[in-house]
Amino acid sequence: QKEVEQNSGPLSVPEGAIASLNCTYSDRGSQSFFWYRQYSGKSPELIMSIYSNGDKEDGRFTAQLNKASQYVSLLIRDSQPSDSATYLCAVKANPRNDYKLSFGAGTTVTVRA
Amino acid sequence: DAGVIQSPRHEVTEMGQEVTLRCKPISGHDYLFWYRQTMMRGLELLIYFNNNVPIDDSGMPEDRFSAKMPNASFSTLKIQPSEPRDSAVYFCASSFPPQSYSGNTIYFGEGSWLTVV
């Protein structure tokens, strides 16, 4: 079983719609969760981090975490063509340990104008 | 700050040749990471350093790969001899130390696109 699993997509949504991305992780002791966005040919950039159960909103992005079910999701509201990218879920097991971040394979999102 | 700087951006080399990738982390960052990204395996952590000391190299695929960090502002990833299956994008990244339950942001360089023919 992979440490971090995501739906590979591609996920195609019309402009203005909500894009919903899901991620599950295997290590129940994981404490920190991140969403990175990677445009084609570019490097990953952090867009959201979440550490506690529940929702965290930042602009058009909402991250949701459910540690009991071991899943984290990302909602993109009012999707724009500029949101077309691959979204990587990343999980860190123990923040007190030295840093080790496990990435999912990514979900490719295409926003249709 | 200029961000994490990597060189070369693109390299095409013949199988068996030595490849050296270079990285300059963001000034003040204590942690430096080398990642490899391929379509098949996604983004994999190869090795990371804390204060120039290698902490975890369990992701280094084999002895052909080596990494060094002689000082706080420079690191290299070397492949010798290179093989076609090493073709990938190699990212260097850096960050401040992790904080309890807050995590921290890893800043990636633009990557070095390696093709071994």
Side-chain angles (χ1 to χ4, degrees), chain B residues 1-6 23-26 29 92-94 107-110:
Chain B
D1 199 313
V4 177
I5 300 173
Q6 292 186 243
C23 175
K24 175 179 167 50
I26 293 173
H29 281 185
C92 178
S94 69
Y107 295 87
F108 285 83
E110 290 298 310

Side-chain angles (χ1 to χ4, degrees), chain B residues 1-51:
Chain B
D1 199 313
V4 177
I5 300 173
Q6 292 186 243
S7 65
R9 291 295 314 280
H10 298 272
E11 176 147 350
V12 180
T13 190
E14 291 186 346
M15 181 175 62
Q17 297 297 306
E18 177 178 292
V19 174
T20 299
L21 308 178
R22 299 173 177 80
C23 175
K24 175 179 167 50
I26 293 173
S27 178
H29 281 185
D30 298 291
Y31 280 72
L32 182 138
F33 311 84
W34 282 101
Y35 284 88
R36 177 173 69 177
Q37 188 173 39
T38 61
M39 289 292 292
M40 289 294 294
R41 301 176 67 90
L43 197 60
E44 305 173 279
L45 177 64
L46 300 178
I47 184 172
Y48 73 94
F49 295 82
N50 177 20
N51 290 322

Side-chain angles (χ1 to χ4, degrees), chain A residues 2-113:
Chain A
K2 293 183 179 178
E3 293 183 40
V4 182
E5 299 208 45
Q6 299 180 245
N7 294 332
S8 60
L11 176 65
S12 180
V13 298
E15 186 174 358
I18 295 175
S20 177
L21 293 79
N22 297 315
C23 171
T24 58
Y25 57 94
S26 60
D27 185 349
R28 185 171 288 278
S30 299
Q31 299 288 345
S32 305
F33 308 86
F34 308 89
W35 284 98
Y36 282 77
R37 177 177 61 199
Q38 186 174 23
Y39 291 115
S40 180
K42 300 296 185 181
S43 58
E45 59 175 329
L46 181 68
I47 56 171
M48 289 287 288
S49 57
I50 187 167
Y51 313 106
S52 303
N53 281 330
D55 296 358
K56 179 181 178 182
E57 187 174 314
D58 185 358
R60 296 184 296 108
F61 297 98
T62 299
Q64 300 173 316
L65 175 61
N66 184 323
K67 291 184 179 179
S69 300
Q70 295 177 238
Y71 86 80
V72 57
S73 63
L74 180 70
L75 300 177
I76 307 173
R77 293 184 304 281
D78 188 24
S79 296
Q80 302 296 309
S82 59
D83 296 326
S84 297
T86 296
Y87 290 81
L88 303 170
C89 175
V91 175
K92 189 167 69 163
N94 186 337
R96 291 185 175 87
N97 285 349
D98 284 304
Y99 213 116
K100 189 162 187 176
L101 204 59
S102 297
F103 284 86
T107 298
T108 300
V109 174
T110 301
V111 181
R112 308 187 304 270

